[in-house]
Amino acid sequence: MTNLSVNINKIATLRNARGENNPDVEAVALDIERFGADGITVHPRPDERHIRRRDVYRLRPLLRSEFNIEGYPAPDFMDLVLKVRPTQVTLVPDAPDALTSSAGWNVVEHFDFLTSIVERLKDAGIRTSIFVDPDPEQVKAAARTGADRVELYTKPYADNYASNREAAVAPFVEAALTARKCGLGVNAGHDLSLENLAFFSERIPFLSEVSIGHALICDALYLGLEETVRRYKAALKRK
């Protein structure tokens, strides 16, 4: 069974719009766990436009499921995650002002840097995942850094799903098989939705986790949060 980790950044964005505490990010995270999610993901950015550092500190002792923190491994980010010690840190190559993640790491080019970051995280007992495009060479390089997993950047799959889903998923199947051969776990995320998730889950071998935020929160506006989490979990069940 593939785990569902819900990214709650959009909940924090809504809260921050009014400068108060409605919706309550901590309460929503606990509800999402209660509704059946296997984990909570946050992506604190330097400008704190959604999740704030204090959210991360407050969530850590409350959560019973896996806690995944995404981000670019700048000194401030590393200081945060080494203090909080979540279940998993997902390393992304985003610039500080990036609207959202738009590509995976060029692990080959940044190999020494990423290797040093992975070593620090693993020394702290934190599972480490590197965000990559579905490129076997990048997956192999990620394995050589000592990382535990890769997270496959799935926007290209989502963009091409409607026109040719077999062609859209093929590079991700190859990347997942490569990861398996290299001893890496496989995560995935970005633009996965109720429309395209079930097919992706069926076709990708050894898929450990998907991290989904934007689409899930959008669906919850119509379906309600509990029903939405239930449907995403159902889409991950193997037939």
Side-chain angles (χ1 to χ4, degrees):
M1 184 67 183
T2 302
N3 284 346
L4 171 66
S5 186
V6 177
N7 187 316
I8 59 171
N9 279 12
K10 287 296 185 293
I11 301 299
T13 300
L14 183 59
R15 174 202 61 189
N16 295 352
R18 290 291 294 269
E20 298 176 349
N21 193 40
N22 187 25
D24 183 324
V25 168
E26 296 163 37
V28 173
L30 294 177
D31 283 337
I32 288 170
E33 283 188 326
R34 184 166 56 86
F35 296 153
D38 305 290
I40 299 294
T41 291
V42 296
H43 188 150
R45 295 181 184 274
D47 61 7
E48 296 196 321
R49 65 180 180 268
H50 34 65
I51 288 293
R52 297 169 176 159
R53 290 175 68 90
R54 69 170 180 263
D55 295 325
V56 178
Y57 285 114
R58 290 174 178 173
L59 285 165
R60 184 65 180 104
L62 299 177
L63 298 177
R64 297 181 179 179
S65 63
E66 291 197 349
F67 192 21
N68 173 46
I69 303 179
E70 301 178 343
Y72 179 83
D76 284 352
F77 178 84
M78 292 298 294
D79 176 69
L80 175 66
V81 297
L82 289 172
K83 287 177 179 175
V84 172
R85 299 201 177 198
T87 315
Q88 176 176 268
V89 167
T90 300
L91 303 173
V92 298
D94 294 359
D97 60 348
L99 180 63
T100 186
S101 301
S102 58
W105 282 97
N106 184 330
V107 186
V108 174
E109 181 178 334
H110 299 283
F111 181 79
D112 291 341
F113 172 66
L114 288 170
T115 298
S116 68
I117 295 296
V118 169
E119 287 175 354
R120 292 178 65 192
L121 293 169
K122 294 192 77 173
D123 286 346
I126 301 169
R127 187 173 74 221
T128 307
S129 179
I130 298 179
F131 194 64
V132 297
D133 297 319
D135 178 343
E137 294 309 310
Q138 298 299 333
V139 172
K140 292 175 185 176
R144 294 196 297 271
T145 69
D148 302 291
R149 297 184 181 183
V150 288
E151 179 173 328
L152 302 177
Y153 172 57
T154 49
K155 180 173 173 54
Y157 164 75
D159 288 346
N160 295 301
Y161 173 82
S163 59
N164 189 336
R165 64 183 186 176
E166 292 291 348
V169 82
F172 294 88
V173 174
E174 183 181 5
L177 290 171
T178 301
R180 180 72 170 187
K181 290 178 183 177
C182 294
L184 289 171
V186 179
N187 297 342
H190 207 92
D191 286 358
L192 294 174
S193 68
L194 286 177
E195 178 185 3
N196 60 43
L197 180 59
F199 179 75
F200 188 84
S201 176
E202 290 168 8
R203 295 300 305 273
I204 302 300
F206 318 114
L207 183 61
S208 295
E209 174 188 293
V210 294
S211 176
I212 304 176
H214 184 80
L216 188 149
I217 300 304
C218 289
D219 288 332
L221 295 175
Y222 291 91
L223 302 172
L225 191 54
E226 183 172 7
E227 175 63 13
T228 299
V229 171
R230 187 196 69 77
R231 292 194 190 190
Y232 274 85
K233 287 284 292 180
L236 292 170
K237 290 181 179 178
R238 302 276 178 169
K239 295 180 180 179

